Structures are given as C-alpha cells and as structure tokens.
Amino acid sequence: MAGRGRGRGGHRGLSFDPGALGFGRGEGLPPPTLQPPPIYPPLEFKPVPLQEGEEANYLLALKQEFRGSMRESPYFIKPQSAKKDIERYSDKYQLNGQNKRQGLGWTPDWNTFPKELRIREKKPKRLKLSVKPSLSGTKLKVKGQKGDAKEAENKLKQILQAEEDGEDDDDEDDEEEEKKKKEAEGEEEEEEELYDEEDIEEGTDYALSYFDNGEDYLDADDDALEDGPVY
Amino acid sequence: MAQSQVRLGGLLLQHQYGEIVENVGTFLASKGSFALRDITDGTKLGVNEVKKALCVLIQHNMMDFEKNRRGLIEYTVHINKVLLITRYPRYIYCAKTLYGDVGEFLVEELLSHGQMLMSQVCRRVSDRITQALEEGQSMDEFQVRKTFVELVKTHFLQRVASPPSDSGDNADSETELQVMEKEMFLIPPAMDIDYSKVHSSVTSSSKRKREDGEEGDKVAKRPRSTSPLSDEKNEDAPDKGVYWHVNFTRFHQFFRDQSVLSAVNSKIDRYACEIVRTMLRISEKTTVPLAPTTHPMSSHEIFQNLPPELDLNRQTLGEYLTLLAEDKTEIVNKAGESGGGMYVLNMQKALETLCKASIESVVQERFGSKCSRIFRLLLMKRHLEQKQVEDMAMIPAKEAKELLYKLFSENFVTMQEIPKTPDHAPSRTFYLFGINMHQVSRMLLDRCYKAMGNLISRREHENTENRRLVEKSQRVDAIAASLQSSGADTTQMSEVEEMITPPERQQLNKLKHDISKLEQSELQLDETIFLLESYLPGSAAMVMY
C-alpha cells in the first residue's frame, strides 16, 4: 500500500543522506538549534591595550577639537527643523535663524563652481512693494480723479521693471514677477470694492506714510505677518 | 569592499558635514555619477539642500564635476578622498613636527576649509596666533607666509587645478590641466615674499602691513572660527583665483618613509636607519613620488650626503650597505658595481615586509601564537601540504589540522588542488596550502573599514544614549560659568555643582572615557588601514605571492 518506503506520505527522515557527507552511523548532525545564534562570535583572546603616550594623547585631542569645530562651521548643513504641529503666535516673533534658511552661509568662488549650484534667495521685499501701489491707487481713484487707476498700474509696472533690471536674468524671477503683478492687480480690484462700501473719508484721515514699515519690517517675519496691517 | 567603504564614508560625512551631505554623498558613491536633477529625485531632498551639499563636497575636494555629452553637468564623488577624513589629525600632527605651530595651524585651516587663497589663510593663521600669544606680542604675517612657502616648496600644499569652466568647450580643458601641472607649486608673483622689505621679525607687524598695502586696520583680534569666507574681502586679495589645498599624496609618502625608517631602525640599528634616510633624501630629487623602486644611487653619493655627526667611514658604510642588501626583506638591492656599488631602494618590498608583519600580528592576536607559527611557516615556504605543515611547525597533528583549517575558513590561507589521477579522487590529490598576500591584504582592509564603521556607529550610539545627561551637564556648566563671571560666592557654586549627582557624574566620566577610547582606536586602526592601502596598488601586479 502507499506509505511504505519512500513515498509521498513519508515525512520522516532527512532530505539528504548523512552517509554521503562522511558521517558514520550513529554520529552525526549537530543537535537541532532552539535559539537564534549569538549576536557576536565568541572572543577567544582579549585585545592588546591601545597605544599610550604623548603623541597618542595629542592626536586624540586634535581629533576631538577638529570634530567639534567642524560642527560649528558653515559647512555643516543642519537639516531644516521639523515644523511644529500647531502654529503658535510666538513663532512670528522668533528670530532664531528663520531668515538663514535659504543661504549657503559661505561664498564659494563661482568661477570654479558650476553655476547651476547657485541658490536664488527669495526676496520678501517684492511683496512689500506690491502692496503699496495698490493702496495708493485706490485712494486716488476714490478721490474721483479719472485715469489714475491706469497711472497706478503704470507706476507698478515701472517699479517691477526697475527690479527686474537690477537682478540676474532668471526665468523664475520673471514668472514670479508676473504672478506678483497679477496678485497686485487682483488686490487692487478687491480693495476698490471695499472702499466703495465703507466710509469714503477714512482714506484721507491717515497720513500716506502711515504704512511705511521701514527696511527691516519683513526681514525677520514669516509670510503670515504680511496680512497684519491690511484692515 | 566598496560596500564597507561607502558605509564608512557615509558615517564620516554625517559626523563632519551633516545628514544632508551624507545622503547626497552615499547616493552618488553607490550609484555613480548623476546630474543635479537626478540627485534630487533619487535622494528625495529639496533642491536647495542638494545644491548646498554639492557645494560643500566640491569645496572640500571630494567631488568632481564635468559636462557630459548632453550638456548637463554630472557630479562624481571620490569615496577614497572621503575616507581620508580619518587621517586629518595625523596630517596636522605631522605638519606640527616638521614646521612647528605655524605649520600646524596652516594645515588645520586648509583642512577645515578645503581650499583657500594664500592671503586668506595666512591672515587667519596670523590672527589666530596673535590671539594665542600674550599681550603685546603679535605674530608677523611674514613668518606665516614664509612657512607657507616652505610647505609649498616641499610639496605638502598644492594648487587646486582649475576645473573645466561651465561654458568652455572640451578642447581647452586638456591644455588647461597640463599647464596647471607645471604651475602646481608656483606661488603667484603677487604673494611672493620680498625679503628686502622686512626689517625685524615679531613686533613690527604693523609696519609690515602698511608696506603690504593690504588692510592696515587688522589689529583687532578675531576668535578662531570657521566663519563664512564671505566675511573676508576677497575682491582686493592680490592672488585672486589661486586656491591651495593639502597635497595628501606627499603626506602619504612622508608617512610611508617614516614607517620604513622605523622598521630599519628596529631591525638593524640606527646607523642603518640614517643610511636609508640619506638614500631617501637623494632619491627625492630623482624619483617620481610613490614609485615602487628608486633610482639607483652610488655608494659615493651616499657617503657624501651622510650627515656629518654620524661619523661613518667608507668601509663601515660599505659593510652596512652589504648588510642591508643581503637582508631577507630586500629593502635595499644592489644594482651594479659602478661608482663603488649602485644601490636601489625597493619601496614596494619594504611595504610588503611591513604588511606581512602587520598581518602576522593580526593572526597572532586573533588566533593564538601557534596559528601565527603556521602562518609564518607558510609565508616562508610558500606551498605546503597538510602533513608537512604538521611536521615543520612541530605542533601535534590534530591541533595543527584544526588551526590550519581555521585559518583556511577565515580566508587567510588558500588551497591549491593538484590531482594525481584524472578522476580527482581525494585520496590521490595533493592539497597545497599557501598564502596570497594580495588577497589577504584586501580581506583585511575590508575588515578594517567595517571595524572603523563599527567604531564610529558605536560612538554615536553612546552619545545618543547619554544625550540627556550630556545636555544637563552642559547646562550646568553654562550656569556655573555665568555665575563665576558675575562673581558668586562659594555656596552658590557648590549648589550648582550639586545639581549633578555623584552617580550621574560617574556615568559622565565613564562616557568620556569610553568615547576617548573609541576615538583612539579609530586613530590606531587608521594606521593599519594606511599601511594596507599603500601596499595594495603595487601588489596588484603580482598574482601569487
């Protein structure tokens, strides 16, 4: 019947023949392992102690000092700190290096380095300029003078043109400027509507220099703060 | 071996320059050369971060870039340059022994910045030394420049070859590089030291600066910092565009010579050591660096160039040379009879001897002295059967068999089958055991890289485990320092001291002790790595033994 001898039903025995490997009868394969092998091979001989002496100590001190100084150097690129889970109000007023994110920290000699490795720094000032003309444009319009909307747009274009000439030619910059222009124009239109609804005389109570925030206004802050003075 | 090299390189980059550089570096090392966009896709980092990492790697001479056929720039990282980071302390120390503190600081600045203008590095070093000296004294930049020029003359520092420019075409780059080779060690004329202008050495620093025409207001002390190079006024440096970096090959040659000399010294005696040193000095002018053998030199030449304090006469010199030439290690070979005997220094053989000694000691420490005896026997006799090994080593048969097979399983020993009959029956085949130096060296080198990687990651592990404690102790130290500077009394100070409990203090001490032990092991391991690395390229030509 089936099951006798070496058949499909037989699971007994090993898959190979111990006799062929050179073991005699009865001796044999090592006992089955019941636990994972040890992590480290056993150390038979203890290692010789390390070199001593002035030279070794000096080398060690040099090494540690070098390592420490490299950590502080600008060549050590710290990964960007992970964003906090909740945006806190105090984040806006933190000055701890949020402005250093973009730059390299040191200038390589661009004659010997490939130019594509240059990092373009985003300039927050452009946003500031785009806000200003839109407000002055609306004020002028509210006063009833005709054609001033066009003047404002021309002014805006001039300012943006001047900026463009002063910078390196870069496609990204152009695209960003076009976006800014559109943004500014969009804002202009929105604010026109707001002003029409509200009291007209609010526009003349404030001096024009009220919204001049100074040079270091936007340097230390995030984009979020830009929403601040627009009431 | 490449895998362990990449792992070690990654760890070194991580500790030296941060994780971003590590990601970029290991990606390029394991996958080859890529352009900027591929790197950004492959490492999944931001574009700006990848750019920064590439800039850092180029600045530190670990990366090359070139335009490929499609016009994109491809970046390649040289992992063997990354691995040299472990040897930096040794270079600095070597410069110190040769050129004093000034040399030490020069090399240190260049190593931490990668490449710099001569004017910048000299200025930084002189400021640093001025700060370290007492009040009233100041370091003359002239001294610094003199040391710099000496370092360049002995080829320890070299100019950075200008890479092919972005916009240039390929035809020019070849000639550019050729020109650079000739100029590799030329100081630009603007920076040449004008000896006639100097009147006195240390205290006349202000006078010197006025004559230089450079910024005369640099009396302010600046702390030693790796501050951004953009601080310095690059534009009015007289040697703009000429960057210098450390010439590692020259340092390696120096280390190699040092180890050969110390080997000769310990094997024979110090007279022989001086003779070999003289031979090396003579051959510096005639031989290409790192060549396997030197140019032959006559014994008359050696006699003339011997240092006078040795007081050797010609006859003794001749005896020493014969002794060296007949020595088993074959470091010195006699190449002819003209000129009183022409002698050649065989550096490759010398390295081989050193390697053999290293590997023997590895075998001894790992497996025991009996194994070491078998190993040395096989080195001497080249091919032996198992039975012969037992007899010659004078070790009982069973033990000899066990030890031999242990060595074989660890790949220190190779086996060659020579069949007597066409059917390769085991009972009728010779099994000859032998040692292939090249193979064993490679295997050991791979192990060394792994070991170095393990040491570094263990050190990192120790640091992260005890980070909380280390931070606490740093804070306590800061508090103590601020209290002390504002003049507190002893009770307050002792309160602050007690903030760290005794068991914590013990733990901190243990941590410091462990970490310094690990670092010292790294330094010592690096010496073995250096030896094996210098031996391997020359031995590749020899297939067996």
Side-chain angles (χ1 to χ4, degrees), chain B residues 450-464:
Chain B
K450 268 197 211 143
M452 184 76 97
N454 289 346
L455 280 171
I456 296 179
S457 43
R458 178 73 202 188
R459 180 164 38 99
E460 204 181 308
H461 171 79
E462 294 277 328
N463 268 327
T464 40

Side-chain angles (χ1 to χ4, degrees), chain A residues 5-72:
Chain A
R6 290 180 287 156
R8 263 180 278 138
H11 290 291
R12 232 167 48 90
L14 303 158
S15 57
F16 56 90
D17 184 13
L21 280 181
F23 292 112
R25 306 206 58 171
E27 292 179 4
L29 301 167
T33 47
L34 297 166
Q35 44 179 264
I39 311 177
Y40 298 109
L43 191 65
E44 287 171 4
F45 301 97
K46 278 234 144 200
V48 180
L50 294 168
Q51 280 174 354
E52 303 283 320
E54 247 187 69
E55 189 182 323
N57 289 340
Y58 193 80
L59 276 172
L60 183 63
L62 265 179
K63 184 178 167 90
Q64 285 172 332
E65 205 190 288
F66 192 79
R67 202 158 43 91
S69 67
M70 280 316 284
R71 276 201 88 96
E72 304 297 318

Side-chain angles (χ1 to χ4, degrees), chain A residues 53-230:
Chain A
E54 247 187 69
E55 189 182 323
N57 289 340
Y58 193 80
L59 276 172
L60 183 63
L62 265 179
K63 184 178 167 90
Q64 285 172 332
E65 205 190 288
F66 192 79
R67 202 158 43 91
S69 67
M70 280 316 284
R71 276 201 88 96
E72 304 297 318
S73 79
Y75 301 113
F76 193 93
I77 302 179
K78 302 181 178 69
Q80 291 187 356
S81 45
K83 298 222 152 111
K84 298 193 187 72
D85 43 4
I86 312 170
E87 249 187 56
R88 294 172 195 278
Y89 183 77
S90 60
D91 280 350
K92 281 188 270 189
Y93 299 99
Q94 297 274 353
L95 292 169
N96 55 2
Q98 278 179 351
N99 47 349
K100 288 252 179 201
R101 231 182 294 159
Q102 296 283 324
L104 196 53
W106 53 282
T107 1
D109 182 4
W110 292 112
N111 293 332
T112 50
F113 276 55
K115 295 192 176 40
E116 65 176 7
L117 292 185
R118 248 193 140 131
I119 299 177
R120 305 284 172 209
E121 304 233 353
K122 263 199 261 184
K123 296 216 163 81
K125 285 187 187 167
R126 248 184 271 135
L127 299 166
K128 169 183 143 193
L129 280 172
S130 63
V131 170
K132 242 180 144 177
S134 66
L135 289 168
S136 57
T138 51
K139 281 193 205 111
L140 290 170
K141 194 183 182 190
V142 156
K143 282 186 186 167
Q145 298 177 26
K146 290 180 188 170
D148 278 334
K150 267 197 186 165
E151 263 189 37
E153 276 193 36
N154 288 338
K155 234 200 257 176
L156 177 59
K157 277 185 194 148
Q158 274 173 25
I159 293 170
L160 287 175
Q161 201 71 44
E163 259 197 76
E164 251 181 85
D165 291 343
E167 288 213 3
D168 304 323
D169 43 341
D170 197 11
D171 287 342
E172 290 170 14
D173 289 353
D174 288 337
E175 282 174 37
E176 284 191 310
E177 256 134 41
E178 281 172 39
K179 272 192 235 164
K180 291 282 175 308
K181 260 194 250 171
K182 285 183 194 154
E183 266 190 296
E185 287 172 13
E187 277 185 317
E188 215 179 306
E189 286 175 309
E190 277 182 70
E191 265 146 21
E192 278 175 54
E193 292 175 13
L194 279 171
Y195 266 102
D196 281 340
E197 291 172 16
E198 289 170 12
D199 196 0
I200 295 172
E201 296 201 358
E202 262 193 33
T204 53
D205 276 354
Y206 301 110
L208 274 174
S209 60
Y210 182 76
F211 288 107
D212 186 9
N213 294 302
E215 295 229 348
D216 47 10
Y217 165 58
L218 275 171
D219 282 340
D221 301 326
D222 263 345
D223 298 6
L225 193 56
E226 197 229 353
D227 295 330
V230 180

Side-chain angles (χ1 to χ4, degrees), chain B residues 391-450:
Chain B
D391 293 336
M392 287 194 193
M394 293 186 284
I395 299 176
K398 193 162 172 216
E399 209 178 334
K401 202 198 299 193
E402 222 178 282
L403 295 172
L404 186 60
Y405 284 118
K406 197 195 280 196
L407 280 177
F408 180 55
S409 65
E410 300 274 346
N411 287 323
F412 280 92
V413 157
T414 51
M415 185 180 62
Q416 174 77 31
E417 290 178 12
I418 301 180
K420 286 190 223 176
T421 53
D423 63 352
H424 290 253
S427 55
R428 288 189 289 272
T429 330
F430 287 118
Y431 292 102
L432 291 176
F433 291 91
I435 296 179
N436 184 345
M437 276 304 292
H438 183 77
Q439 185 185 339
V440 174
S441 308
R442 263 196 193 274
M443 191 249 317
L444 269 186
L445 188 59
D446 188 37
R447 260 199 178 148
C448 284
Y449 287 139
K450 268 197 211 143

Side-chain angles (χ1 to χ4, degrees), chain B residues 285-509:
Chain B
K285 298 166 200 140
T286 52
T287 323
V288 174
L290 294 185
T293 55
T294 62
H295 215 63
M297 52 197 98
S298 66
S299 75
H300 295 304
E301 217 180 325
I302 301 173
F303 185 69
Q304 276 162 3
N305 285 311
L306 274 181
E309 59 263 10
L310 265 194
D311 202 22
L312 276 180
N313 56 359
R314 255 181 218 276
Q315 197 192 351
T316 332
L317 171 68
E319 283 171 12
Y320 266 112
L321 283 170
T322 333
L323 187 66
L324 279 168
E326 287 174 1
D327 187 58
K328 183 164 59 86
T329 52
E330 291 181 48
I331 299 180
V332 172
N333 284 331
K334 192 159 186 184
E337 292 294 337
S338 58
M342 300 293 280
Y343 292 92
V344 174
L345 259 183
N346 193 339
M347 293 312 277
Q348 185 59 35
K349 274 272 161 38
L351 283 171
E352 191 177 332
T353 316
L354 290 167
C355 261
K356 275 185 188 165
S358 265
I359 299 177
E360 270 169 37
S361 79
V362 166
V363 170
Q364 185 168 13
E365 294 304 326
R366 198 176 265 270
F367 302 112
S369 54
K370 290 201 173 145
C371 260
S372 158
R373 211 190 308 167
I374 295 176
F375 189 82
R376 278 202 304 271
L377 185 67
L378 282 170
L379 270 176
M380 228 179 11
K381 298 280 182 183
R382 306 220 176 157
H383 286 289
L384 282 180
E385 276 191 334
Q386 185 188 313
K387 189 94 183 30
Q388 289 170 314
V389 168
E390 285 165 18
D391 293 336
M392 287 194 193
M394 293 186 284
I395 299 176
K398 193 162 172 216
E399 209 178 334
K401 202 198 299 193
E402 222 178 282
L403 295 172
L404 186 60
Y405 284 118
K406 197 195 280 196
L407 280 177
F408 180 55
S409 65
E410 300 274 346
N411 287 323
F412 280 92
V413 157
T414 51
M415 185 180 62
Q416 174 77 31
E417 290 178 12
I418 301 180
K420 286 190 223 176
T421 53
D423 63 352
H424 290 253
S427 55
R428 288 189 289 272
T429 330
F430 287 118
Y431 292 102
L432 291 176
F433 291 91
I435 296 179
N436 184 345
M437 276 304 292
H438 183 77
Q439 185 185 339
V440 174
S441 308
R442 263 196 193 274
M443 191 249 317
L444 269 186
L445 188 59
D446 188 37
R447 260 199 178 148
C448 284
Y449 287 139
K450 268 197 211 143
M452 184 76 97
N454 289 346
L455 280 171
I456 296 179
S457 43
R458 178 73 202 188
R459 180 164 38 99
E460 204 181 308
H461 171 79
E462 294 277 328
N463 268 327
T464 40
E465 279 220 339
N466 296 304
R467 180 168 295 171
R468 193 193 68 86
L469 189 58
V470 168
E471 280 175 3
K472 180 178 175 187
S473 81
Q474 277 175 349
R475 262 183 287 137
V476 167
D477 287 339
I479 297 172
S482 64
L483 270 185
Q484 203 162 40
S485 59
S486 59
D489 56 0
T490 44
T491 45
Q492 279 180 319
M493 291 296 294
S494 55
E495 264 183 45
V496 170
E497 297 282 319
E498 275 170 30
M499 276 168 71
I500 304 186
T501 63
E504 280 183 345
R505 205 175 281 281
Q506 224 178 358
Q507 206 176 344
L508 266 176
N509 283 340

